[in-house]
């Protein structure tokens, strides 16, 4: 269990991490491992060691690195100097891809013009990512290790706004090296990519930052940079704080600004300072200073030895709007008031959180499933930490159907889409139960209609009038599953009245099963975003599963009358579907007239068939309800 305010231990170094999947240098371009917690947003560790896809400001940000092009994205660099010979300063990232050289005006990618390592490979066993950098021209090789805790059964430990970055530097020479690792980032608070201006070349340049300031702090065993803003609207979703910290005691230097960045002079000024001796010199801030903050740690690395340079990136952006214009907030922001306090609370927990995360990953990797199955299951847990999901200050987990590069897709924790998601209930059962709470106690109307998209704030969730047959029946099955997994009888007892109401909505006059014969003949809106008319296996099997689940719950609640009704409808419906829908190979759809509910004569060429009906077609989702059962 996560505990805040723990006593600091010595500087943490990562253990040996497992590897499930390896990517060679020819397959790194699209590799990005999200570093962040459930509902906190993430920044990704790219396949070549770069930090990309900055999605910490309440919106998706694929390919967003605080600017569109140029040298402005946050980065890490390394300085290495032998006892005799010249020092070398290099971007801690692997080589470019050929297509990245082919952009007009010589501005193809972030950090163009900076020296890079010649070779890079990536290894992963989510949530652990490792980038191996090497170059025959350099006296060091580096492994970049990034992770965020993932502890099944502990949503708080798995929902922390932190990216842990450890740089393991190995001296490949036979003499000691002076080595410094430095992280640099511009204060981009306010610049979430939603606001742009056009420059003289017609390029779109992100705007929004105003009166942003950086501060060096040394407190409670941490040293580092605190980024904040006095000019960004405090209600803006892009308003917040960021911190870059280290536990290192010696060899720490910093800058809170750089020279004005006309023609990349801000970067050049930093590079010259760091390259001189691997240390940073604080500047007297001028009016036109670039708010570029840098933090460096310098150590001596013996011949053939390895030293670890660990940094922690934390953040807090409290003003989530999600799918409404109303600020609904973030759960993690109620736990960590700002980025610095987040670092103070979380960093002492990292050794234990790493141990627990490793325990989970090792246990999973020891299973006998093929590696491709392990990869599919483990790596897709990253979706739980993406902007696809978020947590309200009340702790409720909410989710889009998915996210595009820059915005969420299909709002409302859609009941029928989330029918297909099974990671949350098995790994974070308490979060799954919060989703059931939204569905049954916020999104359900008095007549049992469950809005399949819950509006926000939650006080608005029941104001719609749209139910989905597969989604609503699936929620009955899911609340049964969550009760079974948790063993929480109080959870079932609290929700039993709503469960009955939600299932009984199928029996309303001219509803899905208005004649209460165990067969859905009515208009059934569903996950295909159409309405099916008449009995079909997709909705029918969800209905059968809901009836059976409700019967089991009714028996537990000693509600024998309701249990008997569910059992009767289940037997009638399942028998009828097997006899009338199964054609010997698969289950068909018998289409009814939307007005009369009578079966259409599909042999009549003049019959008017409603659009988007499957008829004798083979439904791809026909067994999903059976699978869930």
């Amino acid at each position: 269990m996560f505990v805040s305010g723990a006593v600091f231990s010595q500087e943490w170094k990562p253990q040996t991490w497992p590897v499930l999947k390896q990517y060679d240098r020819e397959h790194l371009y699209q590799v990005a491992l999200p570093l962040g917690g459930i509902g906190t947003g993430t920044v990704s560790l790219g396949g070549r060691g770069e930090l990309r896809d900055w999605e910490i400001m309440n919106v998706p940000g694929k390919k967003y690195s605080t600017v569109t092009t140029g040298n402005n994205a946050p980065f890490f660099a390394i300085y290495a100097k032998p006892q005799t010979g010249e020092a070398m300063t290099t971007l801690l990232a692997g080589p470019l891809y050929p297509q990245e050289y082919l952009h007009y005006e010589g501005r193809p990618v972030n950090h163009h013009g900076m020296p890079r390592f010649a070779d890079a490979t990536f290894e992963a066993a989510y949530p652990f990512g490792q980038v191996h950098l090497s170059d025959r021209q350099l006296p060091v090789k580096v492994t970049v290790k990034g992770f965020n805790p993932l502890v099944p059964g502990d949503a708080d430990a798995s929902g922390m706004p932190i990216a842990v970055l450890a740089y393991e530097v190995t001296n490949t020479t036979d003499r000691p090296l002076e080595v410094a690792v430095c992280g640099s980032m511009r204060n981009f608070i306010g610049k979430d990519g939603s606001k742009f201006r056009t420059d003289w070349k017609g390029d779109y340049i992100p705007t929004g930052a105003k009166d942003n300031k950086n501060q060096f702090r040394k407190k409670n065993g941490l040293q580092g940079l605190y980024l904040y803003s006095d000019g960004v609207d405090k209600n803006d979703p892009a308003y917040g704080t960021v911190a870059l910290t280290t536990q290192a005691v010696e060899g720490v230097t910093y800058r809170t600004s750089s020279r004005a960045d006309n023609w990349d002079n801000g970067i050049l000024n930093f590079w010259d300072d760091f390259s001189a001796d691997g240390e940073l010199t604080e500047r007297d801030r001028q009016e036109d200073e670039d708010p570029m903050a840098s933090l460096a740690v310098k150590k001596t690395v013996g011949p053939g030895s390895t030293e670890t340079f660990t940094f922690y990136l934390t953040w807090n952006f409290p003003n989530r709007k999600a799918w409404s214009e109303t600020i609904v907030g973030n759960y993690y922001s109620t736990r960590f008031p700002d980025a610095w306090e987040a670092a103070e609370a979380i960093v002492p927990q990292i050794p234990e959180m790493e141990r627990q995360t490793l325990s989970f990953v090792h246990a999973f990797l020891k299973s006998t499933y093929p590696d491709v199955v392990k990869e599919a299951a483990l790596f897709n847990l990253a979706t739980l930490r993406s902007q696809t999901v978020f947590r309200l200050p009340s702790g409720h987990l909410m989710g889009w159907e998915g996210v595009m590069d820059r915005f969420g897709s299909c709002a409302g924790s859609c009941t029928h889409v989330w029918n297909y998601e099974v990671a949350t209930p098995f790994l974070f059962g308490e979060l799954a139960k919060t989703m059931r709470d939204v569905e049954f106690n916020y999104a359900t109307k008095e007549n049992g209609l469950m809005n399949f998209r819950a509006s926000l704030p939650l006080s608005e969730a029941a104001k719609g009038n749209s139910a989905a047959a597969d989604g609503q029946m699936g929620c009955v099955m899911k609340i049964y599953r969550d009760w079974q997994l948790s063993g929480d009888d109080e959870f079932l007892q609290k929700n039993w009245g709503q469960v009955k109401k939600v299932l009984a909505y199928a029996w309303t006059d001219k509803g899905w099963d208005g004649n209460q014969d165990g067969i859905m003949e009515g208009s059934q809106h569903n996950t295909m975003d159409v309405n099916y008319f008449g009995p079909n296996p997709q909705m029918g099997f969800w209905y059968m599963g809901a009836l059976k689940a409700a019967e089991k719950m009714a028996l537990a609640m000693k509600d024998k009358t309701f249990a008997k009704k569910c059992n009767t409808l289940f037997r009638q419906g399942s028998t009828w579907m097997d006899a009338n829908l199964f054609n010997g190979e698969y289950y068909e759809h018998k289409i009814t007239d939307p007005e009369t509910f009578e079966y259409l004569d599909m042999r009549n060429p003049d019959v008017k068939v409603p659009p988007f009906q499957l008829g004798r077609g083979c439904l791809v989702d026909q067994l999903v309800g059976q699978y869930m059962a």
Side-chain angles (χ1 to χ4, degrees):
M1 177 63 68
F2 174 79
V3 180
S4 63
V7 177
F8 275 85
S9 61
Q10 62 183 8
E11 185 178 357
W12 170 80
K13 296 179 182 179
Q15 299 182 43
T16 300
W17 289 355
V19 174
L20 175 59
K21 178 76 173 182
Q22 296 177 312
Y23 303 84
D24 63 32
R25 62 169 290 172
E26 302 304 320
H27 297 88
L28 303 177
Y29 187 47
Q30 297 290 5
V31 173
L33 188 146
L35 304 175
I38 298 173
T40 71
T42 64
V43 57
S44 289
L45 176 63
R48 294 171 289 185
E50 76 278 19
L51 296 178
R52 54 179 286 183
D53 303 343
W54 287 81
E55 301 179 282
I56 62 177
M57 290 183 278
N58 298 307
V59 291
K62 290 293 178 288
K63 301 180 181 179
Y64 183 68
S65 297
T66 75
V67 290
T68 50
T69 59
N71 282 323
N72 292 300
F75 64 92
F76 278 79
I78 186 170
Y79 163 96
K81 184 181 186 304
Q83 286 183 328
T84 58
E86 295 185 1
M88 299 181 180
T89 304
T90 308
L91 183 72
L92 276 163
L96 297 174
Y97 273 68
Q99 61 265 37
E100 294 175 308
Y101 292 103
L102 303 179
H103 193 283
Y104 69 97
E105 294 181 353
R107 299 182 294 107
V109 291
N110 280 308
H111 316 130
H112 60 84
M114 293 186 186
R116 296 165 172 262
F117 281 76
D119 295 294
T121 59
F122 191 94
E123 296 178 335
Y126 187 78
F128 299 106
Q130 304 180 71
V131 183
H132 302 290
L133 302 172
S134 61
D135 193 316
R136 279 189 255 178
Q137 304 300 316
L138 296 174
V140 296
K141 61 181 180 180
V142 180
T143 294
V144 186
K145 303 177 95 170
F147 96 109
N148 178 285
L150 180 65
V151 183
D154 194 337
D156 279 358
S158 307
M160 299 191 290
I162 189 170
V164 180
L165 295 165
Y167 295 82
E168 295 178 342
V169 181
T170 300
N171 178 355
T172 58
T173 74
D174 58 3
R175 296 190 176 184
L177 289 175
E178 285 185 7
V179 175
V181 174
C182 178
S184 296
M185 61 167 48
R186 282 185 170 80
N187 187 327
F188 54 85
I189 294 165
K191 294 172 66 173
D192 62 1
S194 63
K195 313 170 189 70
F196 292 90
R197 66 175 174 82
T198 305
D199 70 4
W200 62 277
K201 299 180 290 297
D203 287 340
Y204 291 100
I205 306 299
T207 61
K210 183 180 180 182
D211 201 16
N212 288 3
K213 298 177 180 178
N214 307 322
Q215 181 184 88
F216 177 77
R217 292 183 176 183
K218 185 176 181 179
K219 185 180 178 184
N220 290 342
L222 286 176
Q223 298 189 69
L225 301 163
Y226 179 64
L227 284 58
Y228 64 103
S229 177
D230 285 338
V232 175
D233 184 348
K234 288 181 169 51
N235 292 314
D236 193 309
Y239 169 80
T241 55
V242 179
L244 178 65
T245 56
T246 179
Q247 288 177 291
V249 176
E250 298 178 346
V252 177
T253 57
Y254 65 92
R255 294 159 49 113
T256 58
S257 67
S258 190
R259 186 177 175 182
D261 198 36
N262 299 321
W263 296 102
D264 286 338
N265 267 302
I267 289 285
L268 180 60
N269 179 255
F270 153 78
W271 198 268
D272 287 346
D273 182 11
F274 183 55
S275 298
D277 55 8
E279 299 178 5
L280 301 171
T281 304
E282 175 66 314
R283 292 175 57 83
D284 293 329
R285 186 173 177 84
Q286 307 297 318
E287 286 189 7
D288 62 348
E289 288 282 288
D290 183 348
M292 175 180 167
S294 302
L295 180 68
V297 178
K298 187 177 182 181
K299 300 180 181 182
T300 298
V301 185
S305 297
T306 300
E307 290 286 343
T308 302
F309 301 74
T310 304
F311 296 84
Y312 305 96
L313 178 68
T314 52
W315 59 86
N316 179 39
F317 289 86
N319 301 321
R320 179 176 294 277
K321 287 187 176 179
W323 46 78
S324 71
E325 284 303 306
T326 302
I327 294 174
V328 296
N330 284 311
Y331 173 73
Y332 83 89
S333 297
T334 68
R335 300 171 59 210
F336 310 110
D338 64 33
W340 188 270
E341 292 190 41
E344 288 186 335
I346 298 169
V347 170
Q349 305 294 324
I350 290 302
E352 176 61 16
M353 295 298 99
E354 180 201 31
R355 187 193 67 78
Q356 293 189 36
T357 305
L358 282 170
S359 177
F360 161 61
V361 175
H362 280 305
F364 180 75
L365 295 184
K366 286 178 181 177
S367 69
T368 57
Y369 293 110
D371 283 354
V372 290
V373 174
K374 294 176 185 176
E375 179 188 351
L378 189 62
F379 289 14
N380 278 300
L381 293 182
T383 305
L384 263 178
R385 330 256 267 190
S386 72
Q387 288 288 351
T388 301
V389 302
F390 56 95
R391 292 184 73 184
L392 301 177
S394 59
H396 289 94
L397 185 72
M398 307 294 293
W400 300 85
E401 292 187 20
V403 288
M404 305 299 186
D405 285 355
R406 296 293 297 144
F407 55 86
S409 173
C410 306
S413 300
C414 180
T415 57
H416 53 66
V417 169
W418 279 80
N419 272 345
Y420 298 82
E421 190 272 329
V422 295
T424 303
F426 284 91
L427 294 182
F428 300 100
E430 292 303 310
L431 291 184
K433 286 159 71 175
T434 71
M435 299 193 81
R436 305 295 83 78
D437 188 42
V438 170
E439 293 154 359
F440 284 90
N441 298 309
Y442 289 92
T444 296
K445 303 174 82 69
E446 188 59 35
N447 65 351
L449 182 152
M450 178 187 288
N451 284 285
F452 72 89
R453 297 191 189 279
S455 298
L456 289 177
L458 286 179
S459 59
E460 307 288 316
K463 288 192 173 180
N465 200 39
S466 299
D470 51 352
Q472 188 149 331
M473 296 301 104
C475 285
V476 174
M477 295 188 75
K478 287 183 290 190
I479 203 165
Y480 170 79
R481 174 198 63 198
D482 295 347
W483 165 57
Q484 289 283 290
L485 288 174
S486 67
D488 186 352
D489 290 340
E490 185 179 344
F491 168 70
L492 175 59
Q493 189 169 9
K494 174 186 174 183
N495 290 286
W496 176 236
Q498 290 297 97
V499 172
K500 292 176 65 176
K501 187 185 298 183
V502 163
L503 180 59
Y505 179 76
W507 307 330
T508 56
D509 185 39
K510 295 187 177 180
W512 298 322
D513 183 17
N515 61 0
Q516 301 182 43
D517 61 355
I519 306 155
M520 283 193 171
E521 299 97 350
S523 175
Q524 304 149 55
H525 187 71
N526 63 82
T527 195
M528 304 300 186
D529 291 336
V530 297
N531 287 38
Y532 289 155
F533 300 96
N536 62 85
Q538 183 172 335
M539 262 54 68
F541 285 174
W542 279 117
Y543 184 31
M544 293 301 99
L547 288 168
K548 181 57 70 174
E551 178 194 358
K552 298 288 189 182
M553 289 185 282
L555 291 173
M557 292 291 99
K558 296 181 170 50
D559 191 340
K560 294 181 180 179
T561 301
F562 198 79
K564 183 178 180 180
K565 181 171 185 176
C566 290
N567 178 269
T568 299
L569 293 178
F570 170 80
R571 286 188 289 103
Q572 290 176 349
S574 57
T575 299
W576 189 93
M577 285 198 295
D578 280 347
N580 293 276
L581 299 187
F582 191 65
N583 63 15
E585 183 179 357
Y586 59 87
Y587 289 84
E588 297 181 0
H589 169 200
K590 290 193 176 297
I591 306 171
T592 58
D593 183 283
E595 300 297 328
T596 66
F597 286 43
E598 294 179 357
Y599 292 106
L600 298 179
D601 181 3
M602 300 304 293
R603 295 169 297 181
N604 181 356
D606 296 324
V607 70
K608 186 176 180 180
V609 180
F612 307 117
Q613 305 304 294
L614 266 294
R616 296 182 64 186
C618 184
L619 271 161
V620 67
D621 284 16
Q622 65 181 276
L623 295 179
V624 65
Q626 182 66 34
Y627 144 77
M628 183 69 171

